[in-house]
Amino acid sequence: MNENVIVEELFNEINEHGVLHTLISVFGKGAFFEMNFTQKLCDTEVTSLNISVRAQNGLMRAGCKTVGQLINMINEGSLIKVRQLGVKSVAELRSFVVELGYQQMSDKRKKEFLRNIVRANAVKRGDE
């Protein structure tokens, strides 16, 4: 299938079902992707996010005050170690951060992001 067609289908699917849900359903749980975040987003305080009270309390307990600190905790794998943050809360936070990062992109940047995911995961699976 043509890469541009795949990117368009992913773009439309994400608009309907969300980023992580779509990527996992297409590429599996081992999907590889990198996402860049703006400094403004990284400086956003977690208290201003629309996340569950349990997740917000867990982040405060861990001393995580900004989205940038949250991203670092996700990347380091230390989020699951936070007391009273279970698997469900960690999954909620991961999904939320990816959605935030995706939403900050222009449509052109979103499609380039998706193109990079298609290429990276094709190489990973040996499809290229």
Side-chain angles (χ1 to χ4, degrees):
M1 187 180 275
N2 181 316
E3 185 180 89
N4 291 329
V5 172
I6 295 170
V7 168
E8 284 298 323
E9 287 180 10
L10 283 172
F11 182 78
N12 293 329
E13 189 73 17
I14 286 172
N15 287 338
E16 192 171 329
H17 299 288
V19 178
L20 277 186
H21 177 270
T22 301
L23 295 180
I24 290 171
S25 69
V26 172
F27 298 107
K29 288 189 177 184
F32 174 78
F33 65 94
E34 292 182 12
M35 182 173 272
N36 295 316
F37 297 90
T38 64
Q39 189 63 47
K40 182 179 178 183
L41 181 60
C42 288
D43 291 341
T44 302
E45 293 191 19
V46 294
T47 54
S48 69
L49 303 178
N50 188 21
I51 56 176
S52 69
V53 173
R54 177 181 293 275
Q56 205 165 69
N57 287 342
L59 292 176
M60 292 295 103
R61 190 176 300 107
C64 179
K65 296 179 181 174
T66 65
V67 172
Q69 290 172 325
L70 173 57
I71 292 166
N72 287 336
M73 290 181 79
I74 290 170
N75 289 339
E76 294 168 354
S78 61
L79 198 57
I80 194 69
K81 298 173 186 170
V82 175
R83 197 173 126 248
Q84 294 183 339
L85 268 190
V87 174
K88 201 172 183 181
S89 294
V90 170
E92 171 197 353
L93 290 167
R94 283 183 180 147
S95 180
F96 190 80
V97 166
V98 171
E99 291 292 338
L100 279 175
Y102 187 77
Q103 290 170 4
Q104 77 179 1
M105 297 178 201
S106 67
D107 283 353
K108 181 180 178 183
R109 178 66 188 109
K110 287 176 184 176
K111 289 180 182 180
E112 186 59 35
F113 168 72
L114 295 173
R115 186 169 283 102
N116 290 337
I117 292 173
V118 169
R119 290 176 182 160
N121 287 283
V123 169
K124 183 178 169 189
R125 292 191 329 251
D127 294 345
E128 201 169 64

